[in-house]
Amino acid sequence: MDAAYDEIADWYEEVFLAAGDPLGTRGLLRELLGEGRGTCLEIGCGTGVHAAVVRDLGWTPAGVDLSAGMLRHARDRLPAVRGDATRLPFRDAGLPAVIAMMAHTDMPDYPAVLREAARVLRPGGAFVHVGVHPCFCGGFADRGDPEAVVIRPGYLDRHWTKESWTDKGVRAKVGASHWPVPELLNAFVAAGLTLERFAESGGPVPVVLAVRARKES
Ligand SMILES: C[S@@+](CC[C@H](N)C(=O)[O-])C[C@H]1O[C@@H](n2cnc3c(N)ncnc32)[C@H](O)[C@@H]1O
């Protein structure tokens, strides 16, 4: 399995996450996942930084990630297995909740990941996606001047790129995929997930788009 994050796992844990949560992803997770009981599987769990919030909401966190390097840091945070989100090592319809946190741009076949999330969810189970905002972040977005975020042509192209306005982020190191909003949301619908609630965070122009969807009963 090709795991781009193996090479940057220590940087991700010790430098990138050390900045805290400037984008407010944990607040979005709290808001959209809400309190509940039973296993909440994070696909692309990385170093497991969201396990504490999941646990605090009453859920039992579990994770799956492609990168052994990232999972090494997750060891003390949640039970997690190495695996590919496009072929989840979980049975059909067994889980009450699945989340994907800041991971969809790292998964070139995200529509297949959404189908897998729907497959492992129980009918009525919740899927929470918290991801890079497709409109205001990407190779086409220059966020170098917070007073004037510049969106260049490129939004409409479904693409993968390492181009970024900063060399301090993830995109410049491992690259990122992009889907325009209709393609991204239509992939939820095609997977049999009913869109239920939306939220944004980050500023001065949103950096994160969050979606809660539910597996059809
Ligand atoms: C930006 S990190 C996010 C990690 C964590 N969710 C967080 O918010 O800190 C993206 C993660 O997705 C994982 N990933 C990428 N493709 C994957 C796949 N096909 N299956 C499972 N994990 C994958 C990477 O290894 C990486 O740990």
Side-chain angles (χ1 to χ4, degrees), residues 7-186:
E7 298 225 335
I8 64 161
D10 292 347
W11 169 84
Y12 193 89
E13 169 72 11
E14 289 154 21
V15 180
F16 188 71
L17 291 181
D21 186 24
L23 303 182
T25 59
R26 290 170 212 164
L28 291 175
L29 177 60
R30 269 184 194 284
E31 179 187 339
L32 293 196
L33 179 62
E35 292 184 359
R37 296 283 174 276
T39 300
C40 173
L41 174 69
E42 181 175 355
I43 51 183
C45 66
T47 64
V49 69
H50 301 291
V53 169
V54 170
R55 200 171 277 121
D56 200 44
L57 289 167
W59 300 93
T60 303
V64 59
D65 200 285
L66 207 52
S67 164
M70 295 291 269
L71 288 174
R72 227 180 21 249
H73 293 285
R75 220 179 276 146
D76 295 334
R77 296 183 175 135
L78 79 172
V81 293
R82 184 159 181 247
D84 185 343
T86 62
R87 285 178 293 139
L88 288 173
F90 296 91
R91 67 180 168 89
D92 293 0
L95 298 172
V98 175
I99 61 176
M101 300 293 298
M102 304 309 282
H104 86 284
T105 40
D106 292 293
M107 298 173 176
D109 198 357
Y110 198 57
V113 174
L114 292 173
R115 289 194 294 276
E116 275 296 90
R119 180 185 66 75
V120 301
L121 274 172
R122 286 182 195 154
F127 176 67
V128 174
H129 158 111
V130 176
V132 169
H133 203 300
C135 300
F136 309 120
C137 285
F140 53 85
D142 183 349
R143 303 184 64 99
D145 176 2
E147 298 299 316
V149 173
V150 178
I151 304 297
R152 300 208 167 83
Y155 166 82
L156 290 173
D157 310 330
R158 185 186 184 284
H159 66 263
W160 179 94
T161 185
K162 275 181 129 175
E163 261 175 55
S164 175
W165 62 274
T166 174
D167 61 3
K168 307 258 181 312
V170 167
R171 184 184 310 275
K173 292 185 167 45
V174 295
S177 295
H178 164 72
W179 289 266
V181 172
E183 271 190 56
L184 180 62
L185 298 184
N186 283 333

